Amino acid sequence: MPVHGYDIASAVVLRMLDGDDGRGLRARGLGPGEPVPYGVQPVIVAPSTVYGTVQVEAIVRRWPSALAKPWLVVVADVPARPAAAARYRLRALGGRLAGTAHLPYLPALRAVESAEDALADAAVARAALRLRAQLEGK
């Protein structure tokens, strides 16, 4: 579930989480206001900006205790560390999340037309493997 609109980073993370093991589509994006189905591992996707972390905080504050804690995937929007306020907010939210995964800045995302095109890039494919391994606890 992207925190502020569906963009290429959200589309790529969704495809990254599908995996390439032949089991078909496993990840599904949710639209605004759409409920999280029971029995799934929710994942929130956010840019590494202060605005992105403010949006994550708002979602996590309203998170129903009956649902599993969500994972957070933070997508770097530039090739630098997040701003201090964003890093602080991510640390503060840590206890309310199942975990936080960080995707590095991936320049290929600026030059592709689709998520499938992005996954053809070697750096994006490596990031996908690391992301799946982290979320699966390997």
Side-chain angles (χ1 to χ4, degrees), residues 47-106:
S48 61
T49 61
V50 173
Y51 178 78
T53 59
V54 167
Q55 297 304 306
V56 170
E57 181 179 19
I59 290 170
V60 171
R61 283 181 183 226
R62 294 186 314 267
W63 197 262
S65 60
L67 294 176
K69 289 181 179 181
W71 267 89
L72 173 61
V73 176
V74 179
V75 181
D77 64 321
V78 295
R81 290 174 42 159
R87 291 192 314 267
Y88 170 78
R89 190 166 270 113
L90 291 173
R91 278 192 312 274
L93 292 172
R96 295 179 173 196
L97 300 167
T100 301
H102 295 269
L103 280 181
Y105 175 69
L106 299 166

Side-chain angles (χ1 to χ4, degrees), residues 1-3 5-7 9-18 25-37 40-45:
M1 122 185 17
V3 296
Y6 192 70
D7 59 3
S10 300
V12 168
V13 168
L14 188 63
R15 293 290 296 134
M16 285 176 165
L17 296 178
D18 276 342
L25 299 177
R26 295 181 299 186
R28 178 173 82 81
L30 297 178
E34 190 175 349
V36 177
V40 301
Q41 176 58 64
V43 177
I44 299 171
V45 180

